[in-house]
Amino acid sequence: MALRVALGLPKWTPNIVLMKIAGQEVLSEKIKRLAAQFFIRQLANGTQSPIYDQNCRPSIKLIKKDEVLMANLFADLDTSTDHIISFPDTLFSRNNVCEIHLSDFSFQNKAHPVFLIKDLFEEAVSKEFYDYHIIATDASKSHSFTSIAGISNLQSFVYRIHPINSIFTAEALAICQALDELSVTDKNLLLLTDSYSVLQALKCFTIKSPKVIHILAGKSFVRKNFNQKLCLVWTPGHSLIHWNEKADLLLKTVTESHPFIEWIASEDIISHFQTISLQKTNHSFQNSKY
């Protein structure tokens, strides 16, 4: 009745129509989804979750119907709970994060013409980062593949990742992979990315931040332990910056033959699950007499 009043609809408007208009789910489906979301979050919390005992094993067991629901969900995604990105064993504070530059340089102003951004970038690198080892990363999400790439003067990589991952997760995973594969130990590191949202999330991260941001913070801390300076710098996309262009070209070469990384973000699984649940309500509406 509250929905009917709020939406200004007649009192005889059927429930299925109200749910369609309000973007709501069937209650039984919503309860199932919320139960699944709870356990997915706990799996992603890993050893930080209260459902794990001292031996890092779940101390509770799902009832049969919830166990089947979870099994079907991960079977549909063609993955397993082992591949969920979870908290690192050690949690880090914001003070342990590396240098992050989002708007400190003149080339980071997208209002400039692209040729000027390119020239300002090259000037900034020659003045501020002339002795740094430069790494650039990128990610893409298309109807064919979700992929990540990284490149330096020494080597590069291209990987496919699980398509359920969002572009945010993909960009963060690209940086994580670059720190693992493309780092050197004898120089400070300058890492370039066109993902403003990932760097913003890392700069402001808290215990509630996405798990992939905690993983990234951990990898940044490792560089700090090596007495390396790590600078993450946002570079405007499609601005003729040759490092961005190189990473973008790498992504365009991805095929089925490229290696597949199975990591998957719990936040993206939950978002996908919610979409499916709403689609079921829409499907029920379309098949109803209304």
Side-chain angles (χ1 to χ4, degrees):
M1 183 59 71
L3 272 176
R4 292 185 180 96
V5 172
L7 298 172
L9 297 170
K11 63 181 181 180
W12 43 260
T13 305
N15 287 347
I16 189 68
V17 177
L18 286 173
M19 287 190 291
K20 169 67 176 176
I21 294 172
Q24 297 295 313
E25 306 165 73
V26 175
L27 187 58
S28 59
E29 289 295 325
K30 185 172 184 178
I31 290 170
K32 289 178 186 177
R33 176 176 64 80
L34 292 175
Q37 284 181 194
F38 170 79
F39 288 108
I40 290 168
R41 286 196 182 97
Q42 298 314 309
L43 290 169
N45 288 341
T47 55
Q48 312 297 331
S49 169
I51 74 167
Y52 283 81
D53 60 24
Q54 293 180 343
N55 297 316
C56 299
R57 292 178 303 203
S59 56
I60 61 175
K61 186 172 175 59
L62 294 173
I63 61 174
K64 189 64 179 177
K65 67 176 183 178
D66 285 337
E67 190 176 353
V68 171
L69 176 67
M70 291 286 285
N72 289 340
L73 171 62
F74 283 92
D76 290 342
L77 294 175
D78 194 24
T79 187
S80 72
T81 55
D82 296 334
H83 298 129
I84 293 178
I85 299 171
S86 60
F87 273 134
D89 291 337
T90 304
L91 298 181
F92 303 93
S93 70
R94 192 184 303 174
N95 296 331
N96 290 325
V97 177
C98 57
E99 283 187 27
I100 299 172
H101 299 282
L102 292 171
S103 58
D104 301 319
F105 300 104
S106 53
F107 71 83
Q108 293 176 310
N109 184 352
K110 286 208 75 172
H112 291 322
V114 291
F115 68 86
L116 181 57
I117 290 175
K118 175 179 177 291
D119 292 343
L120 290 172
F121 169 79
E122 291 174 357
E123 181 183 346
V125 169
S126 63
K127 285 184 178 178
E128 305 289 338
F129 304 105
Y130 64 91
D131 59 344
Y132 279 61
H133 178 66
I134 301 176
I135 299 169
T137 65
D138 202 358
S140 70
K141 189 175 180 68
S142 68
H143 66 280
S144 302
F145 303 108
T146 302
S147 50
I148 61 175
I151 190 168
S152 71
N153 278 332
L154 301 177
Q155 55 187 326
S156 63
F157 66 77
V158 183
Y159 294 111
R160 293 177 297 122
I161 62 173
H162 199 287
I164 204 67
N165 286 314
S166 65
I167 192 65
F168 175 90
T169 300
E171 294 278 10
L173 282 175
I175 299 173
C176 291
Q177 201 66 30
L179 290 175
D180 286 342
E181 290 195 31
L182 306 182
S183 297
V184 295
T185 55
D186 57 342
K187 281 188 176 184
N188 294 325
L189 303 175
L190 171 63
L191 199 148
L192 309 173
T193 175
D194 63 1
S195 178
Y196 191 96
S197 57
V198 168
L199 295 191
Q200 180 70 33
L202 182 61
K203 193 169 187 175
C204 304
F205 96 105
T206 66
I207 192 68
K208 294 182 179 180
S209 295
K211 307 301 181 295
V212 70
I213 296 298
H214 282 270
I215 297 294
L216 182 52
K219 291 184 183 296
S220 301
F221 183 71
V222 168
R223 295 294 127 196
K224 204 171 182 179
N225 281 348
F226 286 161
N227 294 318
Q228 271 186 309
K229 196 171 182 180
L230 171 61
C231 291
L232 298 181
V233 176
W234 175 71
T235 50
H238 309 293
S239 301
L240 302 181
I241 294 174
H242 69 279
W243 285 103
N244 286 12
E245 301 298 319
K246 285 181 180 180
D248 186 57
L249 283 173
L250 268 179
L251 284 173
K252 291 176 180 175
T253 67
V254 69
T255 65
E256 285 282 359
S257 62
H258 280 90
F260 182 76
I261 296 179
E262 297 195 67
W263 291 118
I264 184 168
S266 59
E267 296 86 359
D268 296 330
I269 298 174
I270 289 169
S271 176
H272 173 75
F273 197 17
Q274 185 171 14
T275 301
I276 289 174
S277 191
L278 286 170
Q279 284 173 348
K280 286 182 180 178
T281 299
N282 290 340
H283 182 71
S284 298
F285 171 77
Q286 289 163 2
N287 291 335
S288 72
K289 64 181 180 179
Y290 305 103

